[in-house]
Amino acid sequence: MHPVIKKIVVHLLMVLTGLLLGFTVGFYGVNFYKEWSWNQQSSPEAARVRAALPTLARLGLMEAYVLKEKDLPGALLAYRDELSSIKQQPQSGEFREAVSLGLGFVYLRLASWAQQNGQEAQAGPFMTEAKKELRSIGWKDVSDAALSAALDRRLKSWPCCAEKSKQ
Amino acid sequence: MSLALGMAVGSAVGIWCGQVFVKAVRTLSEMSATSAAANFAFLQYKYADLQHARQALIFGAQFLDDVDAIHTDRASKIDAALSYGRLALLEESAGNRKQSQAYFAKAQERLKAASKSKSDCSEAKVREILQKRDRF
């Protein structure tokens, strides 16, 4: 290889290595710094948001996913397992009721799915679990009719499901 | 020299991408969390007994206020206004008039802060908004 070309190639390789190194350091450095500065905020508001954000964000994201994927019992079961594990964590404390509400709706949707697919034997236990969760957070009426109506309204209030039900 | 040049450009791009990434993740996470808190408060208000509904609405309004205090967020202000408005209606139905008035004042304050123009933020307006939104 011509020495000039060789030199150019070596320089290019060094530039590329530098780019890669710089990008990695810059990208992770900013992430680390932002996380660190977020944890340094000492106001009571920031402390409360820091404590609540992970659980509530997970709850919100999973709910959005599950409401969108309305025909997937697998997704609902995975969501139920995830919520159950969050509920058992000691730090879930004051969010336990929000998690119970999520669980209640997951069981309601599972019961509704089982009924629609002719699996009555499964629908019963799911409905029982839904009632247990929702009664534990103070729901006044946990009759089958009231819960079905609540689920129906909830799905209709969700934009993507409302669109689907209109179609 | 080439390595230093590459690193300088690379780190500038990396920092920019990192900032965009962190902002996107945080925005998504806050949006999900505020939506979960607001939904929880609303559903408990709609279906739960007085004590649980009150607890959920206070929790929701407090969380939305906290998010707004960290960085001003119009959506959080509106959701907090709705939660305080529902708390006011709840206390009114429980016969706690003084408490209800205090919550209405908070709802009006959040609504005023969220409004771009000098729109109507009276107690009657808060009632009207809630009546429309909670009707189903």
Side-chain angles (χ1 to χ4, degrees):
Chain A
M1 193 189 282
H2 195 280
V4 178
I5 296 174
K6 196 177 171 184
K7 213 172 175 180
I8 290 171
V9 169
V10 169
H11 278 290
L12 273 176
L13 279 174
M14 286 180 86
V15 168
L16 279 175
T17 310
L19 274 173
L20 199 67
L21 271 172
F23 183 86
T24 310
V25 170
F27 187 85
Y28 287 103
V30 161
N31 271 282
F32 177 78
Y33 171 73
K34 292 273 181 186
E35 189 64 33
W36 178 81
S37 60
W38 167 239
N39 286 324
Q40 293 307 302
Q41 286 188 33
S42 56
S43 67
E45 290 90 357
R48 282 197 296 265
V49 170
R50 257 201 313 271
L53 202 59
T55 308
L56 287 179
R58 261 167 94 191
L59 204 60
L61 277 176
M62 283 191 288
E63 192 175 48
Y65 171 72
V66 167
L67 284 174
K68 191 168 159 254
E69 302 291 335
K70 52 188 295 208
D71 302 319
L72 283 180
L76 289 172
L77 288 169
Y79 183 41
R80 178 204 54 187
D81 294 343
E82 181 96 3
L83 286 178
S84 301
S85 77
I86 293 175
K87 203 178 165 187
Q88 276 154 20
Q89 286 163 9
Q91 66 267 31
S92 69
E94 60 178 309
F95 321 114
R96 198 161 285 163
E97 293 203 350
V99 178
S100 282
L101 181 75
L103 264 175
F105 271 100
V106 167
Y107 280 122
L108 274 181
R109 298 201 60 216
L110 280 166
S112 152
W113 176 86
Q115 267 174 348
Q116 282 166 10
N117 289 276
Q119 298 179 12
E120 298 291 334
Q122 278 189 324
F126 284 141
M127 202 59 169
T128 309
E129 286 299 317
K131 287 180 181 184
K132 199 176 95 186
E133 291 294 341
L134 297 172
R135 200 179 288 122
S136 77
I137 54 168
W139 277 39
K140 291 177 280 192
D141 187 357
V142 288
S143 63
D144 286 9
L147 293 186
S148 297
L151 176 65
D152 196 41
R153 283 173 194 146
R154 181 97 183 94
L155 291 176
K156 276 182 185 158
S157 71
W158 192 255
C160 69
C161 301
E163 280 303 309
K164 280 184 189 173
S165 63
K166 268 183 209 165
Q167 287 164 10
Chain B
M1 179 67 182
S2 313
L3 190 70
L5 181 74
M7 277 193 79
V9 175
S11 56
V13 176
I15 287 170
W16 181 77
C17 287
Q19 277 175 337
V20 170
F21 177 76
V22 169
K23 197 176 174 190
V25 168
R26 194 159 290 168
T27 305
L28 184 67
S29 151
E30 273 177 15
M31 271 172 64
S32 310
T34 50
S35 138
N39 277 333
F40 166 62
F42 170 67
L43 289 168
Q44 286 295 85
Y45 165 70
K46 201 78 192 162
Y47 300 111
D49 56 35
L50 176 70
Q51 193 195 338
H52 283 88
R54 181 188 282 143
Q55 213 176 321
L57 284 166
I58 291 173
F59 170 76
Q62 171 88 72
F63 179 74
L64 293 161
D65 270 352
D66 287 342
V67 169
D68 185 52
I70 294 170
H71 56 81
T72 306
D73 178 26
R74 190 166 173 260
S76 295
K77 274 194 186 83
I78 294 171
D79 281 336
L82 295 177
S83 289
Y84 281 121
R86 289 176 185 132
L87 261 170
L89 292 178
L90 197 75
E91 294 299 349
E92 192 177 66
S93 66
N96 304 324
R97 188 156 171 71
K98 210 173 169 186
Q99 191 66 62
S100 168
Q101 290 301 316
Y103 284 135
F104 265 126
K106 283 190 175 189
Q108 287 170 258
E109 192 188 308
R110 306 302 185 278
L111 205 60
K112 203 176 279 178
S115 303
K116 282 173 185 166
S117 58
K118 285 180 183 172
S119 45
D120 180 13
C121 299
S122 62
E123 185 185 311
K125 186 71 185 173
V126 175
R127 283 179 192 273
E128 188 194 317
I129 293 170
L130 285 172
Q131 206 174 15
K132 274 184 196 162
R133 287 188 70 115
D134 296 354
R135 180 190 56 205
F136 64 61

